[in-house]
Amino acid sequence: MDIAGFPGVVGVIDGTHVRIIAPSEDEAVFVNRRNFHSINVQIVFNAACKILDIVAKWPGSTHDARMLSESGIRQLFERRYVPANCHLLGDSGYPCKPWLLTPYLQPRQGPQLNYNRAHKTTRAVVERGIGQLKRRFHVLHGEVRLRPEKVSKVIIACAILHNICKVRQIAEPLEDGDEDEDEDNDEDGGEEDIYIPQGKLAQSGLPYRANFTNLHFRDADGAGAADGNGV
């Protein structure tokens, strides 16, 4: 909440691609929308850019929403192992849920625009976190010349080591930039892949998001969350 006054956020979620050589089996499903072979990695960071959850097994053509629908973190929220009023923040490639808040695609002036601004600033943590992970372990920046199954293990090992470095306060490599260069840039609900409602991940969180926005972001400066009504 200290980042931008957005209450109740326990993590920020996104997908990132790790480039691989063309596999000998099921080659086509590993080609992502940018036309290179990859593993699509779902990752959740906390405010300190420590990894809370990672799934590194899906071929590059898999949509972020599909990865989420099959993930354990979805089960944790929907089965209420995570307390109420705790949220993840994700971009508009994800469905809006009561536990996964996404930006407004066409925000109106006032609370919706305030919400989007705070959402964007807070969600930038995931871009910084992915950038830090890939700078620390350059194998994730280039083309990994292993079978997909082994690439998945390499990614998980790097994630574990990243968290160890965070706990032990080991400085990351000094390089320019702080964001994941593989990710799409968005501007208040901009140009990332837009989620099309379907199946078990329909956008059931839209009424919740509307109420949440009006409660916490009604002030002109977007600081409504700091009025004592936040979590």
Side-chain angles (χ1 to χ4, degrees):
M1 185 169 171
D2 289 343
I3 295 172
F6 204 115
V9 179
V10 295
V12 285
I13 187 171
D14 207 351
T16 186
H17 290 270
V18 174
R19 189 185 294 261
I20 64 172
I21 59 171
S24 58
E25 298 180 4
D26 300 319
E27 179 266 341
V29 300
F30 287 91
V31 179
N32 62 35
R33 61 180 180 159
R34 297 188 180 183
N35 206 34
F36 63 85
H37 298 86
S38 68
I39 299 292
N40 195 2
V41 182
Q42 177 181 284
I43 191 164
V44 179
F45 286 92
N46 68 9
C49 292
K50 185 177 179 181
I51 297 169
L52 301 179
D53 186 79
I54 187 168
V55 179
K57 65 180 182 180
W58 290 96
S61 65
T62 310
H63 194 284
D64 288 354
R66 167 75 189 285
M67 294 194 296
L68 178 67
S69 73
E70 303 295 333
S71 69
I73 198 164
R74 169 179 167 253
Q75 298 296 329
L76 289 175
F77 278 94
E78 297 203 338
R79 294 181 181 178
R80 301 184 180 179
Y81 289 104
V82 180
N85 300 317
C86 291
H87 316 102
L88 298 178
L89 299 189
D91 64 25
S92 34
Y94 292 103
C96 184
K97 308 287 286 183
W99 51 269
L100 173 55
L101 297 176
T102 60
Y104 290 90
L105 296 180
Q106 297 179 315
R108 295 191 295 269
Q109 288 289 337
Q112 290 186 8
L113 190 57
N114 295 335
Y115 167 99
N116 265 25
R117 287 170 175 162
H119 187 286
K120 180 180 179 181
T121 301
T122 308
R123 197 177 66 81
V125 169
V126 75
E127 297 168 2
R128 289 197 298 273
I130 292 169
Q132 290 176 16
L133 174 66
K134 290 187 173 182
R135 281 198 308 278
R136 197 183 291 276
F137 302 102
H138 279 239
V139 65
L140 304 181
H141 255 313
E143 182 181 71
V144 187
R145 305 185 66 82
L146 296 169
R147 296 196 313 273
E149 300 79 16
K150 288 192 174 182
V151 175
S152 296
K153 293 179 180 179
V154 168
I155 295 168
I156 296 298
C158 289
I160 293 169
L161 291 170
H162 169 86
N163 279 358
I164 291 172
C165 290
K166 285 288 182 182
V167 170
R168 298 188 178 183
Q169 299 182 327
I170 298 172
E172 63 189 90
L174 295 176
E175 293 185 19
D176 293 335
D178 202 27
E179 286 153 0
D180 178 19
E181 63 187 28
D182 292 335
E183 298 306 298
D184 294 324
N185 293 322
D186 64 302
E187 194 70 36
D188 286 338
E191 298 180 359
E192 72 272 357
D193 199 10
I194 305 301
Y195 176 71
I196 299 174
Q198 55 185 321
K200 55 190 173 184
L201 269 186
Q203 303 220 66
S204 60
L206 296 180
Y208 178 90
R209 184 180 68 179
N211 291 333
F212 181 90
T213 300
N214 290 328
L215 176 62
H216 296 294
F217 294 96
R218 61 184 178 273
D219 294 345
D221 61 359
D227 63 3
N229 292 318
V231 176

